[in-house]
Amino acid sequence: MIKVLVAGFRGSMGQKAIKMIEKNDDFQLVGVYDPKAEDLSPKSHNLPDDVHVYNSFDQINGKDIDVWVDFTVPKAAYPNTKFALENGIHPVIGTSGLSDDQLSELQKIADDQDVSGIIAPNFGISAVLLMKFAKEAAQYFPDAEIIEMHHQDKKDAPSGTAINTAKLISAGRKEQPKPVKTEETLKGARGAEYDGVPIHAVRLPGYVAHEQVLFGGDGEALTIRQDSFDRDSFMNGLKVAIQKVDNVNGLVVGLENIL
């Protein structure tokens, strides 16, 4: 039985994670965490009586928890992950927006504490496959741009999935892209750039999580796209991450490391 704590449990993803955990015979929901939770009674949050509600790190004993699932915000995910690692809890982080410096520091802590973990910019299997295919395509099409589309309430832009896709495209290139000579007549028209890959972030009502990668070549083009229409689609990836986090080495970024 894998004992799981969910941070950010009052959000939409946190609620779906709780339902998935409660339906799985191999998992046990032992706690939830939110520093803004004033009422620590599980009944007040529609939780079973044996689930602990925490609003402070001081209340949490790492020996009682195997996996820390995190669907919070970047500002909270960093200290949450650090706490989990320092207390022997395997973090499974679904929050995007951590900086490269933060990731490097967390990976060092994981190595020092000998605790494995997973930071998944996206738990959707289709998104993981898109990133994998994009890296492979970049060998033949070094000229690429990313358009990512999310709901209007998403806190970070660009998305962690888009940034990770850009990293993989850069790693997969065998040659550098052709220089773009376009001059912006409106600042920001060309989007942001990460590792030499332009990223355009769309935030609109009605969207959930979508991404497309455009590759251009001499006389041809390739488009790879994935769409997540419902947050339930992320739960299969989360289930696999909880099951396999103990088998990875260190703190890895990307669900593709365990598929």
Side-chain angles (χ1 to χ4, degrees):
M1 185 73 71
I2 301 174
K3 299 177 182 179
V4 185
L5 176 145
V6 176
F9 72 97
R10 295 193 291 179
S12 57
M13 286 297 292
Q15 286 294 302
K16 288 185 181 297
I18 286 174
K19 290 179 181 178
M20 183 277 292
I21 292 165
E22 291 179 332
K23 290 179 181 179
N24 195 300
D25 293 336
D26 296 328
F27 303 156
Q28 179 185 359
L29 181 68
V30 295
V32 294
Y33 173 73
D34 186 337
K36 295 182 179 180
E38 297 180 358
D39 190 337
L40 302 186
S41 168
K43 286 186 178 180
S44 299
H45 302 284
N46 297 315
L47 295 168
D49 291 338
D50 59 348
V51 175
H52 296 280
V53 180
Y54 304 111
N55 61 9
S56 171
F57 289 151
D58 295 338
Q59 303 162 347
I60 302 173
N61 186 342
K63 295 180 181 179
D64 299 331
I65 304 162
D66 298 317
V67 175
W68 178 295
V69 171
D70 198 292
F71 286 111
T72 57
V73 294
K75 185 178 180 180
Y78 171 72
N80 289 355
T81 308
K82 184 177 180 181
F83 172 83
L85 291 169
E86 291 176 342
N87 286 271
I89 306 170
H90 299 286
V92 173
I93 310 301
T95 305
S96 62
L98 295 172
S99 69
D100 288 343
D101 289 341
Q102 288 175 326
L103 289 174
S104 295
E105 183 175 348
L106 291 172
Q107 287 172 329
K108 183 178 185 304
I109 294 172
D111 291 339
D112 292 342
Q113 298 291 328
D114 193 25
V115 179
S116 58
I118 298 170
I119 295 178
N122 199 310
F123 282 109
I125 303 300
S126 62
V128 174
L129 291 174
L130 176 144
M131 289 184 274
K132 180 179 180 180
F133 297 156
K135 181 179 181 180
E136 185 174 348
Q139 299 178 61
Y140 309 99
F141 294 93
D143 299 275
E145 300 199 16
I146 297 170
I147 304 173
E148 57 98 340
M149 298 150 280
H150 285 79
H151 55 91
Q152 78 277 18
D153 294 324
K154 185 168 175 57
K155 302 298 183 182
D156 57 319
S159 68
T161 302
I163 291 175
N164 202 47
T165 304
K167 288 180 181 179
L168 293 171
I169 289 172
S170 179
R173 285 169 167 163
K174 291 184 177 179
E175 58 184 79
Q176 292 303 305
K178 298 178 178 65
V180 176
K181 300 178 181 179
T182 302
E183 180 180 345
E184 287 186 336
T185 55
L186 185 62
K187 187 176 180 181
R190 292 286 300 128
E193 187 174 301
Y194 193 95
D195 275 0
V197 182
I199 302 176
H200 311 268
V202 176
R203 297 291 178 268
L204 286 173
Y207 284 74
V208 177
H210 318 260
E211 179 175 299
Q212 59 182 4
V213 185
L214 311 177
F215 294 94
D218 294 332
E220 59 181 336
L222 171 66
T223 300
I224 305 174
R225 175 169 175 141
Q226 71 85 212
D227 298 278
S228 298
F229 300 107
D230 190 296
R231 291 178 177 86
D232 285 333
S233 64
F234 303 131
M235 291 303 104
N236 287 333
L238 176 60
K239 176 182 175 181
V240 174
I242 294 173
Q243 291 172 327
K244 296 188 176 182
V245 65
D246 191 27
N247 298 326
V248 301
N249 293 318
L251 181 65
V252 300
V253 179
L255 193 66
E256 65 274 11
N257 290 286
I258 61 169
L259 293 180

